[in-house]
Amino acid sequence: MKVTVNINLGGYAFNIDEDAYERLRQYMKSLEKEFSVESSASEIMSDIEGRIAELFKMRLNNFKQVITMKDVEEVMAILGSPELISGTGTSDEPPPRSQRRIYRDPDRRVFGGVCAGISAYLDWDPLIMRIIFAILVLPGGFGLALYLILWIVLPEAKTTAQKLEMRGDPVTVGNIRDSVKQEFETVKKKMKL
């Protein structure tokens, strides 16, 4: 018999084995220590917590309701260790590959982000996709109907992890940190204008 702990992670409640909780707590503390010097540390940690919650949700089902040590270790392997992020550790393993997913891109959108999202998925310039949709609008409005359907069907990339998946980048702690720092710098530049 094992003791379980209830935790709230990324806005979701999880039951987690006590030993797995302790390992996760140590991992989170080491991440907090790693990012404590960053100006956007709270945003980085929030995005990392959200990604861990997503990965934990994928591991639960009707027959499995408790996060185990194995689940925590798998999630840590996906995200990467703090030592690798800081450059003090070494790894012979290649970074985990990420499967591209299609989302609407809120950062480069003109209207709904459909063209920008498809362009990010295909690794094209958004202008090319916008021209294609503009051409499709002319003969009978097919492009407009298609755009509206895609706007309804495609989810918007809200989290940093979703934005990384949209571009096909691995969703690791280092990539989350870099992406949040880039967004933070973009906002600072816009505030100065």
Side-chain angles (χ1 to χ4, degrees):
M1 175 169 50
K2 284 192 170 187
V3 175
T4 62
V5 178
N6 292 324
I7 62 169
N8 184 335
L9 190 65
Y12 295 96
F14 294 98
N15 292 321
I16 184 169
D17 285 340
E18 190 174 33
D19 56 340
Y21 166 74
E22 186 58 34
R23 181 68 180 113
L24 179 64
R25 190 178 69 74
Q26 291 171 355
Y27 181 66
M28 296 298 286
K29 282 200 176 285
S30 63
L31 289 174
E32 286 175 5
K33 182 179 176 186
E34 182 68 35
F35 297 125
S36 64
V37 296
E38 303 285 342
S39 60
S40 56
S42 62
E43 290 87 1
I44 293 170
M45 288 305 298
S46 176
D47 282 347
I48 291 170
E49 277 189 23
R51 180 60 178 162
I52 292 172
E54 288 175 8
L55 293 170
F56 280 172
K57 285 190 321 186
M58 291 179 0
R59 284 162 172 70
L60 298 177
N61 57 42
N62 289 338
F63 303 105
K64 182 177 187 276
Q65 295 293 316
V66 178
I67 301 297
T68 63
M69 180 65 88
K70 179 182 176 198
D71 297 323
V72 171
E73 295 292 337
E74 288 173 354
V75 167
M76 289 171 45
I78 291 170
L79 293 177
S81 70
E83 295 80 22
L84 287 176
I85 296 164
S86 66
T88 60
T90 60
S91 175
D92 296 333
E93 297 180 22
R97 295 182 62 201
S98 179
Q99 182 178 1
R100 281 185 189 254
R101 294 197 177 161
I102 190 162
Y103 294 98
R104 288 185 288 122
D105 188 352
D107 298 333
R108 298 185 303 163
R109 71 176 173 206
V110 172
F111 294 115
V114 172
C115 291
I118 293 171
S119 297
Y121 180 78
L122 297 173
D123 202 19
W124 290 2
D125 185 348
L127 182 61
I128 294 169
M129 190 56 61
R130 291 182 181 121
I131 291 171
I132 291 170
F133 269 94
I135 291 170
L136 290 175
V137 166
L138 298 177
F142 172 72
L144 182 61
L146 179 62
Y147 189 90
L148 291 174
I149 290 169
L150 289 172
W151 192 350
I152 293 168
V153 173
L154 294 178
E156 183 176 19
K158 295 179 182 176
T159 66
T160 303
Q162 290 172 337
K163 292 175 184 177
L164 289 169
E165 287 174 336
M166 180 176 59
R167 294 189 304 260
D169 296 335
V171 185
T172 62
V173 173
N175 285 347
I176 290 173
R177 177 199 60 196
D178 295 341
S179 184
V180 169
K181 284 175 68 176
Q182 182 181 9
E183 288 178 26
F184 194 72
E185 292 300 319
T186 302
V187 170
K188 275 176 50 175
K189 286 178 185 175
K190 286 182 179 179
M191 294 295 279
K192 288 181 180 179
L193 294 177

